[in-house]
mmCIF file of all heavy atoms in Angstrom:
data_model
loop_
_atom_site.group_PDB
_atom_site.id
_atom_site.type_symbol
_atom_site.label_atom_id
_atom_site.label_comp_id
_atom_site.label_asym_id
_atom_site.label_seq_id
_atom_site.Cartn_x
_atom_site.Cartn_y
_atom_site.Cartn_z
ATOM 1 N N LYS A 221 -30.329 20.465 -18.397
ATOM 2 C CA LYS A 221 -30.325 21.166 -17.115
ATOM 3 C C LYS A 221 -31.404 22.234 -17.071
ATOM 4 O O LYS A 221 -32.109 22.387 -16.058
ATOM 5 C CB LYS A 221 -28.948 21.787 -16.874
ATOM 6 C CG LYS A 221 -28.783 22.416 -15.500
ATOM 7 C CD LYS A 221 -27.360 22.914 -15.310
ATOM 8 C CE LYS A 221 -27.183 23.544 -13.933
ATOM 9 N NZ LYS A 221 -25.771 24.025 -13.738
ATOM 10 N N ALA A 225 -33.877 18.504 -15.483
ATOM 11 C CA ALA A 225 -33.407 17.134 -15.261
ATOM 12 C C ALA A 225 -32.287 17.122 -14.230
ATOM 13 O O ALA A 225 -31.507 18.087 -14.126
ATOM 14 C CB ALA A 225 -32.922 16.526 -16.569
ATOM 15 N N ILE A 226 -32.188 16.024 -13.461
ATOM 16 C CA ILE A 226 -31.146 15.952 -12.440
ATOM 17 C C ILE A 226 -29.795 15.606 -13.051
ATOM 18 O O ILE A 226 -28.755 15.913 -12.464
ATOM 19 C CB ILE A 226 -31.503 14.958 -11.316
ATOM 20 C CG1 ILE A 226 -31.651 13.533 -11.857
ATOM 21 C CG2 ILE A 226 -32.750 15.407 -10.591
ATOM 22 C CD1 ILE A 226 -31.818 12.486 -10.758
ATOM 23 N N THR A 227 -29.793 14.991 -14.227
ATOM 24 C CA THR A 227 -28.548 14.758 -14.956
ATOM 25 C C THR A 227 -28.875 14.271 -16.367
ATOM 26 O O THR A 227 -30.028 13.947 -16.669
ATOM 27 C CB THR A 227 -27.634 13.746 -14.238
ATOM 28 O OG1 THR A 227 -26.317 13.804 -14.790
ATOM 29 C CG2 THR A 227 -28.162 12.333 -14.384
ATOM 30 N N HIS A 228 -27.857 14.231 -17.216
ATOM 31 C CA HIS A 228 -27.994 13.714 -18.580
ATOM 32 C C HIS A 228 -26.956 12.612 -18.771
ATOM 33 O O HIS A 228 -25.802 12.748 -18.340
ATOM 34 C CB HIS A 228 -27.767 14.816 -19.617
ATOM 35 C CG HIS A 228 -27.836 14.319 -21.031
ATOM 36 N ND1 HIS A 228 -29.022 14.218 -21.727
ATOM 37 C CD2 HIS A 228 -26.866 13.878 -21.879
ATOM 38 C CE1 HIS A 228 -28.782 13.739 -22.937
ATOM 39 N NE2 HIS A 228 -27.481 13.515 -23.053
ATOM 40 N N PHE A 369 -29.034 5.863 -11.129
ATOM 41 C CA PHE A 369 -29.038 7.228 -10.592
ATOM 42 C C PHE A 369 -30.377 7.553 -9.937
ATOM 43 O O PHE A 369 -30.427 8.201 -8.887
ATOM 44 C CB PHE A 369 -28.741 8.230 -11.709
ATOM 45 C CG PHE A 369 -27.348 8.102 -12.295
ATOM 46 C CD1 PHE A 369 -27.036 8.706 -13.508
ATOM 47 C CD2 PHE A 369 -26.353 7.376 -11.649
ATOM 48 C CE1 PHE A 369 -25.765 8.591 -14.045
ATOM 49 C CE2 PHE A 369 -25.077 7.256 -12.180
ATOM 50 C CZ PHE A 369 -24.793 7.875 -13.386
ATOM 51 N N ASN A 378 -28.886 11.182 -3.810
ATOM 52 C CA ASN A 378 -27.637 11.398 -4.543
ATOM 53 C C ASN A 378 -27.928 11.968 -5.923
ATOM 54 O O ASN A 378 -28.892 11.577 -6.575
ATOM 55 C CB ASN A 378 -26.871 10.087 -4.722
ATOM 56 C CG ASN A 378 -26.313 9.545 -3.417
ATOM 57 O OD1 ASN A 378 -26.577 8.418 -3.060
ATOM 58 N ND2 ASN A 378 -25.550 10.345 -2.709
ATOM 59 N N THR A 379 -27.085 12.889 -6.353
ATOM 60 C CA THR A 379 -27.103 13.352 -7.736
ATOM 61 C C THR A 379 -25.717 13.134 -8.324
ATOM 62 O O THR A 379 -24.716 13.160 -7.604
ATOM 63 C CB THR A 379 -27.488 14.837 -7.847
ATOM 64 O OG1 THR A 379 -26.577 15.619 -7.049
ATOM 65 C CG2 THR A 379 -28.909 15.067 -7.351
ATOM 66 N N VAL A 380 -25.666 12.927 -9.622
ATOM 67 C CA VAL A 380 -24.417 12.568 -10.292
ATOM 68 C C VAL A 380 -24.140 13.561 -11.421
ATOM 69 O O VAL A 380 -25.057 13.991 -12.112
ATOM 70 C CB VAL A 380 -24.489 11.140 -10.867
ATOM 71 C CG1 VAL A 380 -23.187 10.760 -11.560
ATOM 72 C CG2 VAL A 380 -24.816 10.134 -9.767
ATOM 73 N N GLY A 381 -22.902 13.927 -11.598
ATOM 74 C CA GLY A 381 -22.519 14.766 -12.723
ATOM 75 C C GLY A 381 -22.191 16.195 -12.365
ATOM 76 O O GLY A 381 -21.552 16.895 -13.148
ATOM 77 N N GLY A 382 -22.656 16.661 -11.216
ATOM 78 C CA GLY A 382 -22.357 18.034 -10.817
ATOM 79 C C GLY A 382 -22.832 19.067 -11.817
ATOM 80 O O GLY A 382 -22.189 20.092 -12.018
ATOM 81 N N GLY A 383 -23.979 18.798 -12.454
ATOM 82 C CA GLY A 383 -24.508 19.724 -13.446
ATOM 83 C C GLY A 383 -23.991 19.509 -14.847
ATOM 84 O O GLY A 383 -24.424 20.176 -15.781
ATOM 85 N N LEU A 384 -23.066 18.570 -15.009
ATOM 86 C CA LEU A 384 -22.514 18.247 -16.324
ATOM 87 C C LEU A 384 -22.995 16.868 -16.759
ATOM 88 O O LEU A 384 -23.298 16.014 -15.919
ATOM 89 C CB LEU A 384 -20.987 18.273 -16.290
ATOM 90 C CG LEU A 384 -20.340 19.615 -15.940
ATOM 91 C CD1 LEU A 384 -18.831 19.446 -15.820
ATOM 92 C CD2 LEU A 384 -20.685 20.672 -16.973
ATOM 93 N N PRO A 385 -23.071 16.608 -18.072
ATOM 94 C CA PRO A 385 -23.504 15.293 -18.540
ATOM 95 C C PRO A 385 -22.553 14.185 -18.105
ATOM 96 O O PRO A 385 -21.354 14.412 -17.923
ATOM 97 C CB PRO A 385 -23.503 15.446 -20.068
ATOM 98 C CG PRO A 385 -23.555 16.906 -20.321
ATOM 99 C CD PRO A 385 -22.830 17.544 -19.179
ATOM 100 N N VAL A 386 -23.094 13.001 -17.936
ATOM 101 C CA VAL A 386 -22.292 11.809 -17.695
ATOM 102 C C VAL A 386 -22.059 11.150 -19.049
ATOM 103 O O VAL A 386 -22.999 10.671 -19.691
ATOM 104 C CB VAL A 386 -23.009 10.839 -16.734
ATOM 105 C CG1 VAL A 386 -22.207 9.558 -16.574
ATOM 106 C CG2 VAL A 386 -23.238 11.511 -15.377
#
Side-chain angles (χ1 to χ4, degrees):
K221 186 176 180 179
I226 62 172
T227 195
H228 177 86
F369 295 165
N378 291 125
T379 56
V380 180
L384 298 175
V386 176

